[in-house]
Amino acid sequence: MASSLFKITSKSMREAADISSLEIESISIRFFCYDLSDMEAVMDYGQLCPLAKATEILAERWTFLVIRELLSGATRFNEIRRGVPLMSPSLLSRRLQRLEREGLVRREPSGSGHLYYLTEAGQELAPIVNRLSRWGERWVLGHIDTRKPDVTALMWAIRRRVDPSVFGGTRITIQFEFADQPRAKQFWWLVNEATNVDLCPKDPGFEVDLYVVTDLQTMVWIWIGKLRLSAAINAGTLELLGAPDLRRAFSSWLLLSPFAQREGFAGEPNPRTGRTSGCDSPQPLMMSHVRLPKI
């Protein structure tokens, strides 16, 4: 690929100017070496505008999502990475280092690793992240529903946004089954005990108290506030199996995304597309199987 591009460039340059073949090769080599090495170069707009300087730091890929994770309370490297599972560890490390150099993140030693905290400058990004998320919810989400969300990122997000006090001090294990996912990512467990909630991608070995059977898209719609839990249950795209008191408490336990619009969101037209963003008639769920409680 690079070789063919080199030949095309060399030929075009010879036709455009009367310079030697050796000079052409030297120019082409410098061009391609610069292009490849510049892929992870620091952004520099060459302007003294405050907006330009801010976006040089914040507009790099993944940076806002890393800040989102830090604002959500993640402090350890692996905690941050769970919120951005498609981001490579090396790239995450570089982004954290850049944010630390720019004074947005403070790193503190902790045991064999480090803890990451937003500085005052980083914390001041909270309302910006919130408004940008609201903007995305209002103008973008309505026309990207066909994109495949990531079940791992969704479950880690849910884990951070539940109210463990709803179930009191008793340990309650909730199993999520995503019937449309590959076997390796089909089952997830949230273990709720007192004030702590743990997410388990493998069976923790506790008896399951509440089963949530759904598909990924339905759960995403519920999570972002585009579909009411009761509507999904009535449509058959989500099923809750367990004791009646646990089923009733589930909606209070699940706090949804901090950017979710709850009441009045379903059926409201998207201002960009004109389409209604609520999912009033989702397709019935085709469940692969349901693992019922042990008798």
Side-chain angles (χ1 to χ4, degrees):
M1 179 77 171
S3 176
S4 61
L5 287 172
F6 178 87
K7 292 176 182 176
I8 293 170
T9 303
S10 300
K11 180 181 178 182
S12 301
M13 293 175 71
R14 283 196 192 94
E15 293 174 350
D18 185 18
I19 54 181
S20 70
S21 174
L22 184 60
E23 290 174 319
I24 288 293
E25 291 175 3
S26 175
I27 293 171
S28 299
I29 290 171
R30 287 201 302 270
F31 169 77
F32 284 110
C33 287
Y34 173 80
D35 185 58
L36 292 174
S37 64
D38 196 49
M39 291 177 65
E40 263 297 308
V42 175
M43 295 174 63
D44 184 358
Y45 293 123
Q47 298 184 16
L48 292 178
C49 167
L51 178 61
K53 291 302 178 185
T55 52
E56 285 175 3
I57 301 171
L58 300 173
E60 290 185 309
R61 190 182 185 197
W62 296 106
T63 296
F64 260 121
L65 300 189
V66 172
I67 292 171
R68 178 200 65 190
E69 294 305 304
L70 292 166
L71 286 169
S72 298
T75 57
R76 295 188 178 276
F77 187 91
N78 286 336
E79 289 177 340
I80 299 169
R81 193 185 170 206
R82 286 171 188 142
V84 283
L86 301 182
M87 185 180 189
S88 70
S90 60
L91 182 55
L92 174 57
S93 179
R94 290 199 298 272
R95 290 295 182 265
L96 288 170
Q97 290 171 8
R98 174 78 192 279
L99 291 172
E100 185 179 3
R101 287 197 308 270
E102 300 293 347
L104 276 69
V105 165
R106 181 180 77 257
R107 183 179 60 163
E108 297 181 359
S110 175
S112 59
H114 293 87
L115 298 178
Y116 297 88
Y117 298 99
L118 288 170
T119 63
E120 181 181 359
Q123 290 287 348
E124 282 194 7
L125 292 171
I128 298 173
V129 171
N130 181 67
R131 289 302 297 266
L132 189 58
S133 299
R134 293 291 186 191
W135 181 88
E137 177 188 55
R138 179 173 175 81
W139 294 100
V140 181
L141 282 182
H143 58 91
I144 62 169
D145 288 342
T146 56
R147 284 188 169 184
K148 291 184 178 180
D150 183 81
V151 66
T152 303
L154 173 65
M155 290 306 301
W156 278 107
I158 289 175
R159 181 255 179 188
R160 288 199 303 262
R161 290 285 298 170
V162 296
D163 182 1
S165 65
V166 168
F167 295 125
T170 305
R171 184 179 66 208
I172 300 295
T173 301
I174 303 174
Q175 175 185 292
F176 285 76
E177 177 183 350
F178 295 96
D180 60 335
Q181 293 299 292
R183 179 74 183 184
K185 292 189 174 184
Q186 192 170 9
F187 295 98
W188 299 80
W189 292 263
L190 282 168
V191 181
N192 191 107
E193 190 167 9
T195 59
N196 186 56
V197 178
D198 289 324
L199 175 65
C200 305
K202 296 183 179 180
D203 192 339
F206 302 127
E207 184 174 352
V208 176
D209 301 286
L210 186 63
Y211 294 80
V212 182
V213 186
T214 186
D215 63 90
L216 181 55
Q217 188 66 76
T218 294
M219 197 65 226
V220 168
W221 279 334
I222 293 171
W223 170 246
I224 64 176
K226 293 184 65 177
L227 175 63
R228 293 187 182 92
L229 178 64
S230 58
I233 293 173
N234 292 337
T237 57
L238 184 144
E239 187 171 0
L240 289 178
L241 302 171
D245 59 329
L246 296 181
R247 295 202 306 268
R248 286 192 297 268
F250 181 77
S251 60
S252 298
W253 175 80
L254 183 64
L255 300 177
L256 306 187
S257 164
F259 309 110
Q261 295 187 21
R262 294 171 180 258
E263 296 302 322
F265 186 83
E268 187 175 294
N270 180 282
R272 176 173 183 149
T273 63
R275 299 182 305 180
T276 56
S277 52
C279 310
D280 296 324
S281 303
Q283 295 299 313
L285 172 67
M286 300 300 292
M287 291 182 288
S288 58
H289 64 284
V290 177
R291 287 159 49 169
L292 296 174
K294 300 174 183 176
I295 305 297

